[in-house]
Amino acid sequence: MSFGLSSGDLVGRWSLSFSDIDFVNDKPELARLGLAVHLKFFTAHGFFVQDHAAIPADGVLYLAELLGLEAEAVNHYDFSDGTARRHCAEILQHLGFRRLKRVDREQQTSWIAK
């Protein structure tokens, strides 16, 4: 599956905010581009990418340019290993996701019942 991008989609979906850049640059250089791809793919599609084939090449090139990295660096990132899974959890935290607590479930149930 491939997700091609128009130029408007490229900027809209793959641009990094200042906090995103800080988040990505806090990691070792070899992991930065893969982490950025994970982050932007998730925000664009609502799920984490599992393999390189699903990543739009123009998105990788755009992120590499934004971060001052070589686009080929993404080939050194394994989107299915333990580090990538840990990065997924860190991305969710970075984006403000958290586990539902009991009070959250009760409020959701009450809201649905209305």
Side-chain angles (χ1 to χ4, degrees):
M1 173 175 15
S2 179
F3 296 90
L5 300 171
S6 70
S7 61
D9 283 343
L10 183 64
V11 173
R13 290 185 177 195
W14 291 82
S15 290
L16 296 168
S17 69
F18 290 118
S19 68
D20 292 343
I21 292 170
D22 288 343
F23 172 69
V24 169
N25 282 336
D26 193 40
K27 301 297 180 206
E29 188 171 332
L30 284 175
R32 290 178 188 163
L33 187 54
L35 176 65
V37 168
H38 248 331
L39 171 64
K40 298 314 295 182
F41 193 94
F42 178 79
T43 59
H45 301 288
F47 60 94
F48 290 105
V49 67
Q50 296 296 314
D51 64 64
H52 291 87
I55 305 166
D58 45 356
V60 173
L61 290 170
Y62 184 71
L63 286 173
E65 185 177 321
L66 286 175
L67 295 169
L69 300 169
E70 296 294 323
E72 293 77 28
V74 77
N75 297 327
H76 301 289
Y77 189 88
D78 184 349
F79 288 92
S80 61
D81 74 358
T83 299
R85 286 191 297 275
R86 188 179 74 250
H87 284 164
C88 291
E90 292 172 5
I91 288 167
L92 291 173
Q93 184 177 11
H94 170 71
L95 295 174
F97 286 82
R98 63 180 174 81
R99 290 192 181 272
L100 285 176
K101 297 179 181 176
R102 174 188 236 163
V103 68
D104 298 323
R105 286 189 294 275
E106 290 170 354
Q107 288 175 344
Q108 184 179 27
T109 300
S110 174
W111 180 79
I112 291 172
K114 290 183 181 183

